[in-house]
């Protein structure tokens, strides 16, 4: 059986924070705020993976009240999510994700993000698609108040 999962995440931008997307630290005067490294792209992928098997969301598995997850690399959280999926007989097939950001320009960094996500997920790079979309100045992302990401995954389950 093939199952599909969808993930969405949104984080505010704040001064004095690194901007981490798909495990890549992006040069920027502001970064995303959150309890972990606030990697909105990795979080969307993780939410999608959990969603594929109806396992809830990242907040349920890695609560932001838990000091163990403070500042943690979200790629590490992703590896834990893959372990959860594997333990339930799931095998991740592919990922398709989009980051919604006004600035900086992300296009040159997308292949590296895909590679790091693929490494964390145990996938070949050609099974991970990362795209970026500009909101053309519209809305909260356009005003650079935050960034959002969406992802879909497919998971094969043999149980
Ligand atoms: Mg998040």
């Amino acid at each position: 059986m093939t199952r599909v999962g969808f993930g969405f995440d949104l984080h505010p931008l704040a001064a004095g924070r690194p901007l981490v997307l798909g495990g890549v630290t992006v040069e920027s005067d502001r970064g995303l705020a959150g309890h972990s490294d606030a990697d909105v792209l990795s979080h969307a992928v993780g939410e999608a993976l959990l969603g594929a098997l109806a396992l809830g969301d990242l907040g349920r598995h890695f609560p932001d009240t838990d000091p163990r997850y403070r500042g943690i690399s979200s790629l590490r959280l992703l590896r834990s999510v893959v372990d959860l999926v594997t333990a339930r007989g799931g095998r991740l097939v592919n990922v398709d994700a989009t980051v919604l950001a006004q600035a900086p320009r992300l296009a040159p960094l997308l292949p590296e993000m895909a590679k790091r996500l693929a490494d964390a997920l145990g996938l070949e790079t050609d099974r991970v698609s990362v795209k970026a979309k500009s909101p053309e100045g519209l809305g909260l992302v356009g005003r650079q108040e935050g960034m959002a990401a969406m992802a879909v995954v497919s998971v094969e389950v043999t149980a």
Side-chain angles (χ1 to χ4, degrees):
M1 177 170 44
T2 299
R3 299 183 61 146
V4 171
F6 171 76
F8 172 80
D9 198 23
L10 175 70
H11 279 261
L13 278 162
R17 291 274 304 182
L19 175 60
V20 182
L21 293 169
V24 176
T25 302
V26 180
E27 211 169 301
S28 170
D29 57 352
R30 293 188 303 159
L32 296 170
H35 185 68
S36 66
D37 64 4
D39 182 342
V40 71
L41 171 58
S42 296
H43 290 183
V45 172
E47 297 271 354
L49 260 171
L50 291 171
L53 295 193
L55 293 174
D57 60 23
L58 284 177
R60 181 171 127 196
H61 293 274
F62 311 102
D64 63 8
T65 49
D66 189 329
R68 281 182 300 167
Y69 306 125
R70 188 178 175 82
I72 195 172
S73 162
S74 296
L75 293 182
R76 277 187 58 196
L77 299 183
L78 269 189
R79 288 189 197 100
S80 300
V81 172
V82 170
D83 289 345
L84 282 171
V85 168
T86 304
R88 284 163 176 78
R91 191 180 63 84
L92 177 57
V93 177
N94 75 302
V95 176
D96 184 17
T98 297
V99 186
L100 191 60
Q102 182 65 39
R105 207 173 110 73
L106 299 177
L109 301 169
L110 298 178
E112 182 62 20
M113 292 177 197
K115 185 186 178 309
R116 293 198 188 189
L117 285 170
D119 287 348
L121 296 166
L123 285 179
E124 299 94 78
T125 306
D126 67 358
R127 289 173 182 246
V128 178
S129 156
V130 180
K131 296 167 286 184
K133 186 65 78 180
S134 162
E136 310 287 354
L138 295 172
L140 69 91
V141 177
R143 292 189 298 271
Q144 299 187 50
E145 294 166 13
M147 290 183 184
M150 283 146 273
V152 287
V153 303
S154 68
V155 176
E156 263 176 20
V157 185
T158 53

